[in-house]
Amino acid sequence: MMTSFSLAAWMQALLLAGCHMALVMVTVPIWIGLLRWMAAMMEGERRLPDPTAHWRALLQAWRQVGVRSAAGAQVTAVAPWLALAAGMVAALLVPSFSIGMPGSDLSDVLVVGGLLEMAFLALVVAALAPGLARPGHAGLRVVAGGIMIQPVMLLACAVLGMCLPDGTLAGLVRQAHVADMNLVRVPLALVAGALVVAGVGEGHVTALRLSAAMLEDLAGPDRAVARYAHDLLAVVWMMLARDLIWPEGIVEPDILPRGRVLVPMLVAVMLWVAHMLLACGGVAAIRVFVVSGPLHAGWRAGLALLCAIMAGVLLFAGRGMG
């Protein structure tokens, strides 16, 4: 009897993971297209980009003939796929509409951030491996800007370690369903803002040019996979921020009645879509109105650190008053 129950639980976890990954992987280019469309609208551009054009660009790049430079061909053949694999594992650990998926006990922010950094470095290696000037220079500039995520991640993990019982996103969701979150809601929102500001570079013209220059030596499926992995990293950062701000929108299957699971799941999926739309709008607004200009990388680093420090200060102040 115990074996059949365990098998049913495992099958449910696999089904949830499959639905979660399908939902995330299919919508990644759509979120990036919407983010760019929102940023262009906020900037007042007359011709707004088509939100679905990014999907078509990825498909067109996939259909092209793949060509690799002789220098670093073995590295450029593996690095984009490594970045995609690390991004997919990170996406699996960040719940969208439900917890209870395989690996939920590993959904620590430090683990997720480490996987996203691994994917980021794999894309940089793919740009540096051919030894060409333009992609290499763009890769070095991106690395210099990506260094700012390290202190932000350390502060974020320290704050989340004090906020969460077991330090995982699954634990946060369980706590949100049974306990009062008012004491830690503002610190969690500030941590989410810090991670989004530091981790997501979409929506800014300079960041788009650098990412395009990094991948200009790739062609065919390698280029399509690298571009998709780059987009996946931004979406996972936004998903992580969404889970920290709205953990109540995620369903816990174990507490639902057996015959009434479908409706709460569908509601959770619609909430996830609405929250991701808000996340795209928030990122676009930050890029256009807060950290725009030639020194946007420095503004991003300063704002992210400020949000993380303020989260720690408010958490200590709230506990001291409590």
Side-chain angles (χ1 to χ4, degrees):
M1 184 67 180
M2 189 65 180
T3 303
S4 62
F5 179 77
S6 301
L7 180 61
W10 181 248
M11 292 297 293
Q12 174 183 285
L14 289 179
L15 179 61
L16 289 174
C19 295
H20 162 76
M21 291 302 295
L23 178 65
V24 174
M25 302 300 284
V26 170
T27 56
V28 162
I30 298 176
W31 298 129
I32 298 300
L34 285 172
L35 195 157
R36 294 175 180 175
W37 180 83
M38 292 178 181
M41 183 179 62
M42 293 177 185
E43 289 175 349
E45 294 186 7
R46 294 183 178 179
R47 295 188 60 183
L48 298 178
D50 185 2
T52 63
H54 194 55
W55 244 128
R56 296 195 296 269
L58 289 174
L59 294 176
Q60 182 180 3
W62 178 267
R63 297 191 188 102
Q64 293 176 352
V65 178
V67 179
R68 300 189 182 106
S69 301
Q74 295 179 347
V75 176
T76 55
V78 176
W81 295 93
L82 177 61
L84 178 61
M88 290 178 64
V89 175
L92 180 62
L93 298 179
V94 180
S96 56
F97 62 90
S98 173
I99 60 174
M101 296 179 290
S104 60
D105 294 336
L106 298 176
S107 58
D108 188 277
V109 176
L110 187 60
V111 176
V112 175
L115 289 168
L116 294 176
E117 283 294 289
M118 182 189 302
F120 170 76
L121 291 177
L123 293 177
V124 173
V125 169
L128 298 177
L132 300 179
R134 180 176 168 83
H137 179 66
L140 290 176
R141 289 187 61 184
V142 170
V143 168
I147 293 175
M148 65 183 176
I149 194 65
Q150 309 303 328
V152 174
M153 280 298 301
L154 291 176
L155 289 172
C157 290
V159 172
L160 292 176
M162 294 182 288
C163 291
L164 309 182
D166 57 357
T168 63
L169 296 174
L172 172 63
V173 173
R174 295 188 185 98
Q175 182 181 2
H177 285 294
V178 299
D180 186 10
M181 298 288 292
N182 292 331
L183 184 62
V184 298
R185 191 170 298 278
V186 175
L188 287 176
L190 287 172
V191 169
L195 294 177
V196 165
V197 170
V200 182
E202 287 291 335
H204 195 275
V205 177
T206 304
L208 294 176
R209 291 176 180 173
L210 286 177
S211 63
M214 284 177 57
L215 306 178
E216 69 178 12
D217 186 58
L218 302 177
D222 292 341
R223 183 179 181 86
V225 169
R227 291 178 63 181
Y228 184 89
H230 179 269
D231 299 337
L232 179 60
L233 301 188
V235 172
V236 174
W237 281 120
M238 290 192 290
M239 289 173 55
L240 178 60
R242 177 260 179 181
D243 290 352
L244 295 177
I245 298 175
W246 295 294
E248 297 89 350
I250 302 173
V251 171
E252 186 177 356
D254 295 337
I255 64 175
L256 295 177
R258 289 297 177 184
R260 301 179 180 178
V261 177
L262 184 59
V263 173
M265 290 289 183
L266 293 177
V267 172
V269 170
M270 290 187 290
L271 283 175
W272 180 76
V273 172
H275 292 160
M276 288 298 292
L277 285 173
L278 290 175
C280 290
V283 171
I286 291 173
R287 291 292 173 267
V288 174
F289 301 113
V290 181
V291 293
S292 61
L295 299 178
H296 74 284
W299 283 110
R300 283 175 59 196
L303 182 60
L305 281 174
L306 179 62
C307 289
I309 293 172
M310 286 298 298
V313 171
L314 290 178
L315 182 62
F316 279 113
R319 290 189 172 182
M321 294 176 61

